Each structure stands twice: as C-alpha cells, then as structure tokens.
Amino acid sequence: MKMSKLVQQDNCKPQIVISVRNLVEFLLAEGDIDEGRGGAMRMEAMAEGSRMHRKLQRRAGADYHAEVPLKFLIDYEEYQLALEGRADGIIYDEETIPLLGDLDHEAFSRVIIDEIKGMYLDVEAMTEPISVHLAQAKCYAFIFANQNHLPYISVQMTYANLDTEEVRRFREDYTYEEIEEWFLNLISDYKKWADYLFHQKMIRQQSIQTLEFPYAYRQGQKKLVADVYRSIAREKLLFIQAPTGTGKTLATIFPAVQAMGQDMGERIFYLTAKSATGLVARDTFLLLEDRGYQGKTVVLTAKDKMCLLEERSCNPDSCPYAKGHYDRVNDAVYDLLQQENVIDREVILSWAKERKVCPFEFSLDVSNWVDHIICDYNYVFDPNVYLKRFFAEGLRGDYLFLIDEAHNLVDRAREMYSETLIKEEFLLMKRKLKPFSRKLERYLERCNKELLLLKRQCERVLVLEDVDVFLFALCNVAAAFDELLQREVSLPERDEVLDFYFKVRNFINLSEHLDEHYRIYCDYNDKGEFCLHLFCVDPSLMLQERLDKARSAVFFSATLLPVQYYKELLCNKTDVYAIYAEPAFEQSQRALVIGNDVTSKFTRRNEEEYNRFAEYILRIVEQRKGNYMVFCPSYKMMEDIYGHFLAKAEGRYRVIVQGSGMSEAKREEFLQEFDKQGEGTLVAFCVLGGIFSEGIDLTNERLIGSIVVGVGLPQIGNEREIMKQYFDATGRDGFDFAYRYPGMNKVIQAAGRVIRTTEDRGVIALLDERFCQNTYRTTFPREWQDAVVCNLATVEDRIEEFWNAL
C-alpha cells in the first residue's frame, strides 16, 4: 500500500496524491491480525490476479470499457488532495453517455463500475463482497458519477478464483446523494493525514536548504557525493567500487537527501544484506538529524526479531497484540510520527508494547509516512516479501534505491527468483493430509508420479527443456490446497504444511517468468532426496523489473570487481554509470604479500601442504604481537591447518576457531576476544565467505593481520556447473562468472577487514600461487598493484621490513 506523496504543480497549489486502493485499505482496515484464517495465505493475489483481470475484460462485451483512469481533486486552503485510480471496468453504452443528463433511472442503472479481484479461495462460498474491495469500487463510482453528472450509478464486485476461474459477482445500486455522502465522510477521515504529509514535507525541505556535509571531505569523497547526485538527477543507475574507508554510507545518503530537497525523489530506500550495515545507515541519519535535518526514518526488522511473544503466533487467541490491532494501529502511527524522527527496532518495540499493536505490522504502517526506509534487500526485490504498498504491479514511485554491499545481491537474487521442490515432501504431505482432503491426496500423488518419471531418467543431474505436464498437476495441488486451508483452520503441523504450500505457489508463480535467464534441472540433495529446480542463473531481468519502480539506484561496495560482471547480473540496462572511488588510505598503511609456493587446489590438499600453510601463518604472526584472522576455503581445510598450527605454536598464542552454525551469542563471544588487549597474540581461524569475512569492523589494534588461504573458488557442484555452462553458452567466460569472480569477491572482502580507518596498520597475506596468475591479478583492486610476491623462505623478511618501516 504505497501511501500519499506530495508533488508541486506548476502555477498552482501543491498536490498530495493518493491512490483509491491505498486510501480505503488504510482508513477501513479493522479487527484482528489472524494468519490462521488466511492472512498467511495471500488469498488475494496481485501480479497473478492481473492475468485474470485481462482474461475477464476480454470476455466482456463492447460496452465494457477496461482500465479506465480516474482522478478527483479536493481543494484545501494550502494544498490539493488528488485521488487517483484505475477502474477495472466501466459498463455503459458509448452512444448513451453524452446524453446522460436526459436519461431515466433505468438507463442510469446500466452504468456499472466493475471491480475485479483474483482470489485464492472458493468464491462460490462468498455471501457478500469484502468491505475494502467494495469501498474501492464505490470511490470509483463517486468520481465517475460526479464527473458525468449521474444521479444514479451501480457497483459490481467480480471475484474470480485464480485456479478454477470460477466467478462470483455482487451488485449494488446507489443514488448520487448516497454515494457522495459516503465519499465525503471517507475523505474527511483522511484530512489530518494529508495535513501531516503537507507540513512534514515543508519542514523537511526547509531543513535540507541549510544542511551541509557534516565532516571535512575525505580524499575522493566530494567527487563521490557529486557523482551520486548527478546520477539521481539524470535518473540513471550507478555502480560504485568504493574501497574501505571512503565513507560510502554518508557519501550516498547525503546527496540522495539533497536530491529530495530539489524534488528529485520522494523517498529513500537504503537496502542492506545484513542488519549491521543497516545500523550504520541509521547512525548516518541520526548524524544528519544532529546537523538540523528534519527527515523521518524507519528501520524495518525481520518479523521473528520483532515479536513481543516468546514464540510467534499471529492470531488473536494467542497474541494480545494481534487482537484488535487494526482498530488501534492508525492512532499509534500518528502519535509516533509527532514525537520521533529516527524510528529503529527499539523505538518500534517500545511503542508497540505501550499501544498494544503488532510491532512488525506497526513498522510497516509507519513506513508509509516516512522519508527513508532502511531494510533488507527482500523488501524491494523478493517477489514473496516485497512491500506491495510501494511496489505492487502498476505502481512506480519517485524512489531512490541505495544498495549497500551490492556484491551480495547476485546470489541473494538467485535465491529470491529460484525454487526447489522435493519429491519426498509430496509423499509426506500426501500422508499428513489424506484424512482432510482426498482430492488433494490424489493431486499430490499425481505430482509424485510425474517426479518419479523424471527421477528414473536422472542418474546425477538432468537438465530439462520444460516441465509443463508437472506444472499442470501442480496447479491442481495448489487449488486443492486453497480449499483445504480455507476450510481447515486447525490443521496439525500447520506451519510445516504452509511452508510446503508456499513453495508450491512460488514454483508456479516463478514458472510464469521462465525464459532464457532460467534453467530447469533435477538432481539429488545431500540426503539423497530427488529435487526439481527452477534456477534463475541470471537475475538481471527480474531485478530490473524492481529497479524500474524507482527513479534512480546506486549500487555500492568495496568489492564490485570486475564491475562489468555486476553490471551484467544486477540490471538489464547498458546505459549505466560506473565509477571507482579513490581510496582514503595510504598504501603504506599495510603490507600486501602473495605466497607463491602453496595452493589450496584439491589436487594438492594433503598433510604436507597444510603444514606449509601453518608454517606461513606462524612466520607472519611471529613478527608482531597482535590479533590476526586466518580465512580458509572450507571448515575441513580450516580444521586441518588449525591442527598443524597448534602443534607448531606450542601454546604461545591464543587460538580460536569459527564454529558451524554459530548463534548470535557465540558470534559476539568470538568477536569479544579481539577486545582483550595486552593478552598476547590472538590467531582466529575463520571460513572464507563466512560470517566473519565481511561486515565487521575491528579497528586500530583489534586486528593487524588478515591471512587468506586459497582463491576462494566456490565448491564444484551441479548448480555451479549449470551456471558455468549457461555463461559459456551466452558468450561469456563460464569459469569466471561461476567460480573466479565470486571467489575473488570473498578474498577481497576478507582482506578488507584489516584497514578500516586512517589509524589502522596491518598485514594482508594472500597464500596461493594462483594469485600470481594474470587471470587473478586482473581482478585485484587498483590499490593492490603493489603486492609483493614471496615464498616461505622470504615471507618473514617482507613482513619484518613493513613493521620496521612504521
């Protein structure tokens, strides 16, 4: 529900623009949150429903006028309220409309506003239209009746089941006086919110006029700010390779705020892969607030981390915050906005507890009214999670996307736009649900048989041209599931059933996007289960559909190298900008050495090689007391090298090892070891590409060395090989795109842990002979051109020379 926006019209008052749908959903929502009664099922579909809209519209007769744009202006003293929408259909005789003033009641009754809703429920069981749907149609009816001077008008609600295509219609007739009175009462309820929007933007814009960059510019930072502003002004996509320390968070947020001050954007979305980087963005907005900026910010946090109960249960019987939530939430939002500017998790939880509303839904409602939203990539790009209030089909806003740590988005996008179904889960659901639906049992068995046919053809991996027969059977499963979930509220193990249902729905929905960017294949997972994959190898087109919702987007990271790789996979346009920000640190702050007599190649993974890696690590850490991180390509290799190192170190150093699946508490304990100054040398063994190889700041003496074992190549597997074959087939280097570039990204991220501020000093050691090869050297950042090649015999001298020179 994208809420109102304020736009300046030439030679007239400013306009606050809101869609009809958003208006009624905001004002008329009431009652409880209850996922148990369909909230989690997304009964009303949007992107899926649009196809049903078009089908029904084509079937209608010549008097059916589809997708009619409507707009109504309400004039207030300081601004105009513009209500906009698009009626799905208006039924009337074109020859009659010019003569409407002369028609009788019977003729007028033939003017019908048709509102179509595609649903995942049994529409034949409906006894009346859903109130907010009817309200949306009544708004269109008022606008059309007002503008065409109609004394009477009718409204028709058309509900269509997306699986069965069954249709149920409801019709109501109104006099103009009846519908006008209803409409004016509705609009009067919105007046205080429109006033808030108008005055908040005036305050925000005025504060931007005097807002200055809060610090002295670092080297290259002023140019970076100018480049971001210029890209926004020109409505372009911008890719920024920004080495650590360039202050890229402030250097992207500040020009975006300035662009908003010039009406070149209505809202900033700061998108992150990790909550830690979101907190840096929050602190940046707090900094600007301290300098006089009057914008409003909300930080969106995952639902499970926002729940006030010990165990999340989104239904009114179990949760007092879900019961009556919609009756209280609007007042809570309004009061919060009067008192807070930067609204993070703690603020939301405090207010939600006091006002007895669901914290997660509360935060989403707050997002409608703020200037900046800090959130995970999912809220913009994921088809199952994205904020439909802003990005539903047909909506486009004057948004600015600031995409932090954008190198993570490639793999995250592949996950968002891919789905896997497991044959054994169909059999499990068949057994669980047999007592509740024999129809669903039959359809699940049909899908199982289709998967069995594929399994018999698949020895290890099988690439398919299509799965049309299976998809037809799967659609029947989905339809039977809808009936069951609507009928049976208290299914045993409901969460597990819903998880399977959502995977089925996601598979069907993604199949609508199958094109040359996808591959369909079967294989077996680690448990030996048979899997069918819809794999989005190249997510550029799917991402572009979301990027098109914004005015401009800025991708930035310390590891967008090679930039052409990211430009090809993160967008589907060629006229994009790319810049390389100047490093803020001197190369003399760190030593960069390459060990050319070891390798992590599988053919050389043996005890002798592990021993040589351990000896390298020992000789490096012996040169200066402090904290070091050692990054290994896998848990197995980490444990092997760690064992050899322990034997050599003979208890002289504190040694810690990253565990698999560490809890947040364990992660904090791990990082706290770096705060223990004066307790001797610490050597921390970690997994390359894991939780400690990016997104952590260990400044000054907390970390003085990063030792990277191997070139970080992803493990060979079916998915990676399919990626390699795909990129080879499309004229690109498949090994580079599937293995080398992702691997080097992990290497550069790990190396970047050492130098975080102008005061930091430290050592970066790249231990693999392949780093000497030109195919890898060309992926190095510019500031790595001074790398010194050494071997086990000379590494001590190189490191000692560096420390002595300081």
Side-chain angles (χ1 to χ4, degrees):
M1 186 175 70
K2 172 195 165 191
M3 289 307 298
S4 315
K5 64 178 180 179
L6 180 61
V7 296
Q8 182 67 51
Q9 300 292 302
D10 295 335
N11 302 318
C12 66
K13 296 177 182 178
Q15 274 190 7
I16 293 174
V17 182
I18 183 170
S19 75
V20 168
R21 179 178 182 134
N22 292 345
L23 178 76
V24 299
E25 288 186 350
F26 171 64
L27 291 177
L28 301 181
E30 60 184 8
D32 310 327
I33 297 172
D34 191 352
E35 288 189 354
R37 292 192 176 273
M41 291 173 57
R42 291 174 59 243
M43 284 300 192
E44 183 190 347
M46 296 202 55
E48 303 92 328
S50 64
R51 292 185 290 276
M52 181 60 70
H53 278 59
R54 292 189 289 270
K55 184 175 289 188
L56 291 175
Q57 288 164 345
R58 286 194 299 267
R59 291 175 183 170
D63 291 344
Y64 193 97
H65 304 268
E67 303 299 326
V68 179
L70 297 169
K71 183 173 182 177
F72 189 77
L73 295 179
I74 302 164
D75 198 45
Y76 294 118
E77 184 176 349
E78 296 178 296
Y79 60 85
Q80 290 181 327
L81 178 61
L83 187 62
E84 295 182 340
R86 186 178 294 272
D88 292 329
I90 303 180
I91 305 169
Y92 62 85
D93 183 344
E94 282 194 15
E95 295 181 1
T96 307
I97 275 290
L99 307 174
L100 283 176
D102 300 323
L103 297 182
D104 57 17
H105 180 282
E106 182 181 352
F108 279 117
S109 68
R110 292 199 297 270
V111 180
I112 303 169
I113 304 296
D114 186 34
E115 181 66 19
I116 303 170
K117 297 296 181 185
M119 311 291 285
Y120 286 133
L121 53 71
D122 182 4
V123 297
E124 288 295 328
M126 297 179 70
T127 57
E128 61 182 3
I130 296 170
S131 59
V132 291
H133 298 164
L134 180 60
Q136 184 178 351
K138 287 170 71 174
C139 284
Y140 296 143
F142 166 78
I143 296 171
F144 193 76
N146 176 275
Q147 293 174 348
N148 291 280
H149 312 292
L150 306 182
Y152 308 96
I153 194 163
S154 298
V155 167
Q156 175 175 277
M157 288 304 309
T158 300
Y159 289 99
N161 183 286
L162 293 169
D163 294 311
T164 65
E165 298 191 9
E166 291 178 338
V167 174
R168 179 88 162 92
R169 291 186 172 91
F170 302 91
R171 175 171 162 172
E172 298 192 24
D173 303 320
Y174 302 96
T175 66
Y176 178 78
E177 289 76 16
E178 289 172 338
I179 207 157
E180 181 187 43
E181 180 182 4
W182 174 87
F183 178 82
L184 294 178
N185 286 334
L186 184 75
I187 288 297
S188 68
D189 291 339
Y190 188 70
K191 177 66 163 57
K192 78 170 184 178
W193 296 94
D195 287 345
Y196 163 79
L197 282 173
F198 175 77
H199 293 117
Q200 169 56 26
K201 181 171 182 181
M202 296 300 103
I203 293 168
R204 184 195 77 192
Q205 298 299 79
Q206 187 175 356
S207 73
I208 294 174
Q209 304 313 309
T210 56
L211 183 65
E212 297 182 352
F213 199 78
Y215 302 124
Y217 284 107
R218 298 177 186 176
Q219 180 177 332
Q221 197 175 36
K222 189 171 185 178
K223 181 180 183 301
L224 183 56
V225 168
D227 287 333
V228 172
Y229 185 88
R230 188 179 303 112
S231 297
I232 293 171
R234 296 176 180 175
E235 302 188 25
K236 295 291 186 179
L237 303 180
L238 173 65
F239 289 79
I240 304 173
Q241 162 63 23
T244 300
T246 52
K248 53 186 177 290
T249 303
L250 179 58
T252 52
I253 287 176
F254 180 77
V257 168
Q258 291 291 336
M260 289 175 65
Q262 298 299 317
D263 289 321
M264 292 189 293
E266 68 175 87
R267 184 174 277 112
I268 295 170
F269 287 85
Y270 193 97
L271 308 176
T272 72
K274 295 181 173 67
S275 57
T277 48
L279 295 179
V280 174
R282 177 206 62 185
D283 292 344
T284 302
F285 283 114
L286 283 169
L287 172 64
L288 296 182
E289 183 184 20
D290 289 342
R291 298 300 195 273
Y293 178 48
Q294 294 293 303
K296 291 191 180 290
T297 305
V298 70
V299 181
L300 299 183
T301 308
K303 182 182 288 190
D304 286 338
K305 293 183 178 180
M306 294 296 286
C307 188
L308 290 165
L309 303 181
E310 289 187 10
E311 183 176 344
R312 182 166 68 85
S313 180
C314 300
N315 68 78
D317 296 328
S318 305
C319 177
Y321 305 98
K323 188 172 182 61
H325 165 88
Y326 293 111
D327 300 328
R328 299 182 296 270
V329 69
N330 285 359
D331 288 340
V333 170
Y334 188 83
D335 293 343
L336 171 64
L337 292 169
Q338 310 311 307
Q339 299 185 39
E340 303 284 353
N341 280 344
V342 178
I343 304 162
D344 60 12
R345 177 177 179 269
E346 287 67 33
V347 172
I348 288 289
L349 289 175
S350 174
W351 275 78
K353 192 171 185 179
E354 180 184 340
R355 303 302 285 267
K356 212 170 181 181
V357 293
C358 168
F360 179 71
E361 293 296 331
F362 182 40
S363 69
L364 295 184
D365 286 340
V366 169
S367 72
N368 291 322
W369 307 96
V370 300
D371 306 297
H372 331 108
I373 299 172
I374 301 170
C375 60
D376 188 90
Y377 299 152
N378 288 345
Y379 290 99
V380 171
F381 297 112
D382 192 318
N384 296 307
V385 183
Y386 73 93
L387 297 171
K388 295 171 183 62
R389 60 194 69 204
F390 299 111
F391 307 118
E393 184 172 344
L395 295 180
R396 184 185 186 277
D398 214 14
Y399 305 136
L400 309 178
F401 293 164
L402 305 180
I403 305 168
D404 197 358
E405 302 293 355
H407 62 277
N408 288 301
L409 186 55
V410 175
D411 284 339
R412 284 285 299 276
R414 284 187 176 124
E415 292 174 11
M416 295 174 194
Y417 305 130
S418 301
E419 187 57 89
T420 296
L421 296 178
I422 299 173
K423 176 184 179 297
E424 286 74 8
E425 291 182 357
F426 282 83
L427 290 173
L428 178 64
M429 287 296 125
K430 177 187 166 187
R431 288 194 297 270
K432 284 182 181 294
L433 300 175
K434 180 179 180 179
F436 301 94
S437 173
R438 299 305 295 269
K439 180 196 292 188
L440 180 55
E441 179 201 8
R442 290 196 307 273
Y443 290 144
L444 286 166
E445 175 57 26
R446 180 62 186 167
C447 284
N448 177 62
K449 287 181 178 178
E450 291 298 327
L451 290 172
L452 182 60
L453 290 175
L454 294 174
K455 182 178 180 179
R456 287 170 177 165
Q457 303 173 54
C458 179
E459 294 184 8
R460 187 178 65 84
V461 60
L462 175 67
V463 179
L464 304 166
E465 287 296 319
D466 64 67
V467 284
D468 292 347
V469 176
F470 173 76
L471 273 172
F472 181 80
L474 195 65
C475 287
N476 287 330
V477 166
F481 248 120
D482 293 332
E483 293 179 15
L484 173 65
L485 292 171
Q486 187 183 356
R487 184 177 71 247
E488 299 286 348
V489 176
S490 301
L491 284 171
E493 300 177 82
R494 185 178 176 86
D495 288 345
E496 185 180 355
V497 172
L498 281 176
D499 285 343
F500 178 78
Y501 167 78
F502 289 141
K503 288 174 67 175
V504 167
R505 275 283 169 212
N506 195 43
F507 195 97
I508 293 170
N509 293 338
L510 289 174
S511 70
E512 297 286 340
H513 299 278
L514 283 176
D515 60 11
E516 66 274 12
H517 297 85
Y518 274 83
R519 289 292 183 267
I520 311 170
Y521 72 99
C522 306
D523 67 359
Y524 300 86
N525 63 19
D526 293 339
K527 299 177 182 178
E529 297 169 325
F530 183 69
C531 304
L532 174 63
H533 307 271
L534 283 188
F535 179 37
C536 184
V537 188
D538 178 356
S540 59
L541 184 62
M542 297 288 281
L543 288 172
Q544 189 63 55
E545 290 181 8
R546 296 283 177 247
L547 295 171
D548 288 341
K549 302 286 187 179
R551 174 194 179 98
S552 177
V554 180
F555 301 85
F556 53 101
S557 170
T559 53
L560 281 186
L561 293 174
V563 72
Q564 188 60 35
Y565 166 77
Y566 290 99
K567 286 165 66 175
E568 289 187 27
L569 294 185
L570 294 180
C571 71
N572 200 39
K573 290 186 176 180
T574 55
D575 59 333
V576 300
Y577 296 163
I579 60 173
Y580 198 118
E582 295 181 41
F585 307 133
E586 300 297 329
Q587 291 179 212
S588 59
Q589 287 181 238
R590 55 100 182 105
L592 176 60
V593 299
I594 298 174
N596 70 351
D597 54 349
V598 285
T599 184
S600 65
K601 288 180 180 178
F602 284 98
T603 55
R604 294 256 295 271
R605 291 192 182 184
N606 53 50
E607 295 303 315
E608 180 182 353
E609 201 73 6
Y610 301 149
N611 187 65
R612 290 179 67 80
F613 278 118
E615 186 65 30
Y616 256 109
I617 297 165
L618 184 66
R619 295 186 184 188
I620 291 170
V621 304
E622 281 179 338
Q623 303 311 306
R624 191 178 186 93
K625 185 174 76 172
N627 299 335
Y628 296 82
M629 300 184 87
V630 179
F631 294 98
C632 300
S634 67
Y635 280 100
K636 175 66 169 62
M637 193 169 181
M638 177 181 69
E639 291 167 0
D640 289 330
I641 296 174
Y642 162 72
H644 282 273
F645 179 79
L646 278 185
K648 292 175 178 291
E650 298 178 337
R652 287 175 288 168
Y653 309 117
R654 291 186 296 129
V655 183
I656 57 177
V657 183
Q658 175 184 337
S660 177
M662 295 175 77
S663 65
E664 286 198 29
K666 290 292 184 183
R667 296 181 195 181
E668 287 300 316
E669 287 179 19
F670 189 92
L671 292 174
Q672 285 168 6
E673 291 294 321
F674 292 85
D675 295 328
K676 298 177 180 179
Q677 302 296 322
E679 296 189 17
T681 290
L682 170 70
V683 182
F685 284 83
C686 306
V687 175
L688 188 61
I691 55 177
F692 299 116
S693 62
E694 65 174 283
I696 58 170
D697 280 315
L698 298 171
T699 56
N700 299 318
E701 294 299 316
R702 296 173 69 205
L703 184 68
I704 65 168
S706 178
I707 302 168
V708 181
V709 174
V711 294
L713 298 183
Q715 186 173 351
I716 294 174
N718 294 337
E719 186 175 282
R720 285 286 157 184
E721 285 300 293
I722 284 171
M723 288 170 57
K724 179 179 180 297
Q725 295 163 13
Y726 170 88
F727 289 114
D728 280 336
T730 54
R732 291 165 282 190
D733 189 308
F735 184 81
D736 282 351
F737 272 64
Y739 292 100
R740 196 187 329 271
Y741 296 157
M744 282 303 299
N745 184 285
K746 292 186 287 185
V747 169
I748 299 169
Q749 280 290 333
R753 298 312 92 206
V754 179
I755 306 299
R756 312 295 295 175
T757 73
T758 54
E759 289 76 37
D760 292 343
R761 301 292 184 273
V763 172
I764 300 170
L766 308 178
L767 304 184
D768 198 298
E769 62 189 27
R770 286 172 288 182
F771 287 119
C772 297
Q773 298 172 8
N774 188 56
T775 50
Y776 286 92
R777 294 291 287 264
T778 55
T779 67
F780 282 12
R782 292 176 188 172
E783 57 272 19
W784 280 17
Q785 299 310 310
D786 64 336
V788 175
V789 177
C790 65
N791 55 41
L792 192 54
T794 61
V795 65
E796 288 175 283
D797 295 338
R798 301 289 82 79
I799 302 302
E800 185 180 16
E801 288 171 7
F802 167 73
W803 289 121
N804 289 340
L806 295 178

